[in-house]
Amino acid sequence: MLRRILPLAGLGGLIGFGVYWWLTIPATVAASALPAYQPNLANGLTTFNAGGCSSCHAVPKQDDRTRLGGGLAIPSPFGTFYAPNISPDPNDGIGRWSEADFVTAVMKGTSPSGTHYFPAFPYTSYQHARVNDVRDLFAYLKTLPPVAGKVRDHDVPFPFDIRRNVGVWKFLFMDGKPFVADASRSAHWYRGAYLVNSLGHCAECHSPRNFLGGIVSSQRFAGCSNPEGEGWVPNITPRGLSDWSVKDVAYFLESGQTPDGDSAGGSMVGVIRNTSQLSSTDRDAIAEYIKSLPPVEGPPKPLKKEKQS
């Protein structure tokens, strides 16, 4: 009996490993899939600001948003990630990347060496961007100053450090589909929906996540605890912004000022630096879309601990 069971168990193990290996093959974009194209640098700048590239990749503790040498620590329940150098430096940045390498990284979460990037890189949202927007972004990044210096390795414990397993995560939480909005809405609303759900990756910070780190779709945009460990990321559905008008949201994206006279804090300060550089038309479109979201109740906030005297 045992002689029969062992071969079957071995065969089952081989089949299971084969399925795992097939599911976790890193996806790529072939150069042949990118026809000849004249990049639009002005749109590349817009994409750069909408995508919040400088918020993560600019060298910390300096004011130049175009010095994309990386190094920012990004804490999470799975470890601490460090934003890489995406300047045009040929040795430490992306100066030797091809356009296909860049499109693959942004939209598929796969490195030029063929390994999975960790989803601290918000490619689950960027996958919904238009390819030409990503190509324009790459062209724009190549005009920025190269910054020398390698970024330290991520501090991610086992088993989360096994990059091949990220392929399973992608299978669960990436659909690879372009963004499709409600065709009955205006072009202005569609622009806002596109920016929020793709380049702007707003849901990545403003949504609770499950135990695997995937966004809880039923509470998308409904706020969550700050992954950095302190504070609360607000609910940006009308449940959380009930007293805000479309103009209030647009003005906040420009100035960081709330309707009650408060101002943005924490990582949102960097986001405002980006959105303030967008056109007023784009900020208005984002605001219109945000205010059109259905109201969603977010997860309960933890009770504040009383200070002991």
Side-chain angles (χ1 to χ4, degrees), residues 56-58 68-72 74 82-87 92 117 151 154:
C56 285
H57 295 282
L68 304 179
L72 179 72
I74 305 172
Y82 293 88
N85 185 332
I86 62 166
S87 80
D92 303 324
Y117 282 122
V151 173
H154 303 306

Side-chain angles (χ1 to χ4, degrees), residues 14-207:
L14 285 173
I15 293 173
F17 181 78
V19 171
Y20 162 81
W21 199 255
W22 177 76
L23 284 177
T24 58
I25 294 172
T28 60
V29 176
S32 59
L34 302 174
Y37 177 69
Q38 182 62 44
N40 181 335
L41 289 180
N43 185 54
L45 174 58
T46 295
T47 304
F48 174 79
N49 289 320
C53 304
S54 66
S55 293
C56 285
H57 295 282
V59 177
K61 299 181 180 180
Q62 55 88 40
D63 295 329
D64 189 345
R65 298 170 63 248
T66 68
R67 291 183 57 79
L68 304 179
L72 179 72
I74 305 172
S76 82
F78 304 97
T80 300
F81 302 92
Y82 293 88
N85 185 332
I86 62 166
S87 80
D89 186 88
N91 298 313
D92 303 324
I94 62 172
R96 294 180 182 174
W97 285 25
S98 69
E99 187 181 54
D101 289 337
F102 185 78
V103 173
T104 293
V106 172
M107 302 189 72
K108 302 297 183 181
T110 302
S111 74
S113 64
T115 59
H116 294 293
Y117 282 122
F118 292 114
F121 181 18
Y123 47 74
T124 46
S125 289
Y126 291 159
Q127 67 173 327
H128 302 304
R130 290 187 286 264
V131 172
N132 284 351
D133 282 345
V134 179
R135 298 177 79 178
D136 289 343
L137 173 61
F138 182 57
Y140 174 75
L141 292 179
K142 289 193 292 185
T143 70
L144 300 182
V147 180
K150 289 190 178 296
V151 173
R152 58 163 292 177
D153 291 337
H154 303 306
D155 185 10
V156 181
F158 180 84
F160 306 119
D161 62 336
I162 301 175
R163 289 183 182 266
R164 191 79 189 196
N165 288 341
V166 176
V168 177
W169 190 92
K170 288 180 177 179
F171 176 76
L172 294 173
F173 301 114
M174 284 186 74
D175 59 23
K177 297 177 181 177
F179 175 70
V180 178
D182 186 347
S184 67
R185 298 279 191 164
S186 69
H188 187 66
W189 179 93
Y190 179 91
R191 173 65 175 173
Y194 170 72
L195 290 174
V196 167
N197 289 288
S198 61
L199 300 172
H201 61 279
C202 303
E204 302 288 342
C205 288
H206 287 275
S207 306

